[in-house]
Each structure stands twice: as structure tokens, then as C-alpha cells.
Amino acid sequence: MKTPVSTTEPVVQRRQVADVVAERIERLITDGVLKVGQALPSERRLCEKLGCSRSALREGLRVLRGLGVIETRHGQGSFVARLSAERDVSPLMHLFSSQPRTLYDLLEVRALLEGEAARLAALRGTTADFVMIRRRYEDLVARQGREEQTSAEEHAHLDHAFHRAINEASHNPVLVHTLQSLSDLMLSSVFASVNNLYHRPAHKGVIDRQHGRLYQAVIDRQPERAAVIAAEHVNSVRESFAEIEQEEQRLVRATMRLEGWT
């Protein structure tokens, strides 16, 4: 009597391989090799890189889709999903984005996180990281020569890209993804700083000098100096906002007295 051949073994083996494939792709995302919104390489390329069959790859991608880690767009391919999707925004995050007062709290957190990111970038940054940081910094410097042609929104995106390049050079996946989860809120705060501070020569000069000092400290591999400068930069923006707000309140009170309200 012949021993019956198990029909489930190949399926189990394929599933195990698929789990390994899914884990390896997750690691690429966690390490920042594949970034949020980025298209995954072609199936052929992924199979070559991961050393797996197309069936195992497709099973692995199916697992990741089920977890919400990747999303597939018809006719376009698979992309790294936003890990904090807008449809899952919590009431707390909604309040953060809708209440101007939380800007100060956000900047306080930014000072802590970006100070540490700058310190780690100076310690761990690779040659490739420094090339990217230099490019983003040169974009900022180039903008200084064409102030009138650059919108406030473009200023904000250039500013944010510079800080993001430093954050990614920290090579701390948890730190990078924590900052990424705050990306929209951070960009809002950067836009606010540009919109409110860059048209004030004194404040603009301070921001430009701080960017230059931060850039130099990181590429010169001075971790403690980089941490201090990054924190000072964010805190000075926070203090400038408070100063502007006080100015506006004094103006409102003076106007109300002039108009006979008080």
C-alpha cells in the first residue's frame, strides 16, 4: 500500500517562503530603503533581489496588502502605503492639526527629536547620506539668491527636505518613522515659520545662519554640536512665534483702544 502524498505540504512551504519575503520587504521599509509613497521595483527585480519565485513574491505582497503596509493601484503597481493613513487619523491627531496652539507643543517635540536625529546623523551618516544632505542644503542656499521668485510654500518644502535628509541619516528606523508620522504637521509648522519669519529680515538671517551651522556640524561629524544647534534652531523658531503673537496681540489691543472699545 502506497503512502498517501500530502497535498498540503507544498502550500505550507510556499506560505512559509511568502512570510519570509514579506518580512524582508517590511525590513526594507523599516530601514528606509523603500520610502512611503515609493513604487516597489518590478516583480522580476524583486524576485532577483529577494531570491524567490514569483508565486512566493505575490503571496508575500498579498500578506503586506492585508496588513496595510503596501497598496496596489490598478495599472500602476504596488506602493509603500502611508503607515498613518488619513482615514485612521485619531481625534488627538485631528486636534493637533486643527488647533494653532498645538504648534508650540509640536515645535517642542521637534526640538527633542531633531536634536537627537542630528546627533546620530553626525555619528552614523554615510558618504551617500552626506551627499543628499549637501544637495538639500545647496537647494536652500540657491533659494536665497532668488527670494522674489520663490513662493512661501516652496521655501517650506525646501526647509523640510533639508531637515528630513538629516533625520534619515540618523539610521534609526524608529526615529525616522516617528518623524515621518508627524510629517504633515511638521511641514505645517515649517510653512508657518517661513510664512511668518522669512519676510522679517532679522528672523530670516537667523534661520539661514542656523541652517548653515547645522549643516556644517553634521558633515564635520560633530554629534554634540549638531544636537545643540538643531535644538536651538527649532526652539528659536518657537520663541519667534511667541514674539510675533505678542506683537499681534498688542496691535489688536491698541486698535481696540483707538476705536473706543476699551
Side-chain angles (χ1 to χ4, degrees):
M1 181 175 179
K2 293 183 179 180
T3 303
V5 177
S6 172
T7 58
T8 61
E9 185 176 353
V11 176
V12 172
Q13 289 178 341
R14 187 168 63 248
R15 184 171 299 143
Q16 290 174 341
V17 174
D19 289 339
V20 172
V21 169
E23 288 173 4
R24 292 184 64 183
I25 295 175
E26 282 180 333
R27 183 59 184 267
L28 292 172
I29 295 171
T30 302
D31 289 346
V33 177
L34 296 174
K35 296 179 173 58
V36 171
Q38 180 177 338
L40 268 61
S42 67
E43 283 192 357
R44 182 179 62 81
R45 183 69 170 165
L46 280 173
C47 289
E48 290 175 356
K49 287 291 187 181
L50 300 176
C52 66
S53 65
R54 290 206 173 193
S55 60
L57 174 65
R58 289 169 181 171
E59 288 284 346
L61 293 178
R62 188 175 295 114
V63 170
L64 294 177
R65 275 196 297 273
L67 294 171
V69 175
I70 67 167
E71 58 184 10
T72 300
R73 304 172 193 169
H74 183 67
Q76 296 181 337
S78 295
F79 297 79
V80 179
R82 290 193 55 171
L83 303 184
S84 55
E86 293 179 2
R87 61 179 179 274
D88 296 327
V89 171
S90 69
L92 180 60
M93 293 302 288
H94 169 71
L95 288 176
F96 281 173
S97 62
S98 64
Q99 299 299 314
R101 294 298 306 174
T102 59
L103 173 61
Y104 294 102
D105 298 323
L106 174 60
L107 288 169
E108 189 171 63
V109 173
R110 278 189 59 194
L112 295 170
L113 295 182
E114 293 196 17
E116 180 62 9
R119 187 184 75 83
L120 292 175
L123 281 172
R124 302 173 177 175
T126 65
T127 300
D129 291 322
F130 289 168
V131 167
M132 186 60 68
I133 292 171
R134 185 179 71 248
R135 288 176 181 172
R136 298 292 82 84
Y137 177 67
E138 288 175 349
D139 289 342
L140 277 174
V141 173
R143 177 262 307 145
Q144 294 173 20
R146 49 184 175 84
E147 298 291 344
E148 295 182 358
Q149 292 80 29
T150 308
S151 68
E153 185 174 1
E154 185 179 350
H155 283 314
H157 282 282
L158 292 172
D159 191 319
H160 180 67
F162 170 63
H163 286 286
R164 180 172 178 175
I166 292 175
N167 296 340
E168 292 181 343
S170 72
H171 290 277
N172 181 316
V174 174
L175 180 56
V176 172
H177 284 281
T178 298
L179 288 167
Q180 181 60 39
S181 71
L182 295 173
S183 180
D184 290 342
L185 295 177
M186 288 176 63
L187 188 55
S188 295
S189 74
V190 174
F191 180 75
S193 71
V194 171
N195 206 32
N196 286 280
L197 301 179
Y198 264 99
H199 70 280
R200 299 168 180 248
H203 292 295
K204 176 186 175 300
V206 169
I207 291 173
D208 289 342
R209 286 192 295 274
Q210 287 172 338
H211 282 154
R213 291 170 59 219
L214 176 57
Y215 165 74
Q216 204 63 50
V218 171
I219 65 169
D220 285 348
R221 295 194 180 278
Q222 297 179 314
E224 302 308 322
R225 178 174 170 77
V228 169
I229 294 172
E232 285 180 349
H233 168 59
V234 179
N235 282 327
S236 71
V237 170
R238 188 167 178 262
E239 291 166 3
S240 295
F241 281 160
E243 179 185 327
I244 292 171
E245 186 177 51
Q246 290 172 1
E247 287 179 7
E248 292 175 348
Q249 290 174 351
R250 287 194 294 269
L251 179 60
V252 169
R253 287 195 297 270
T255 302
M256 290 178 69
R257 284 197 297 271
L258 183 64
E259 295 176 349
W261 287 94
T262 60

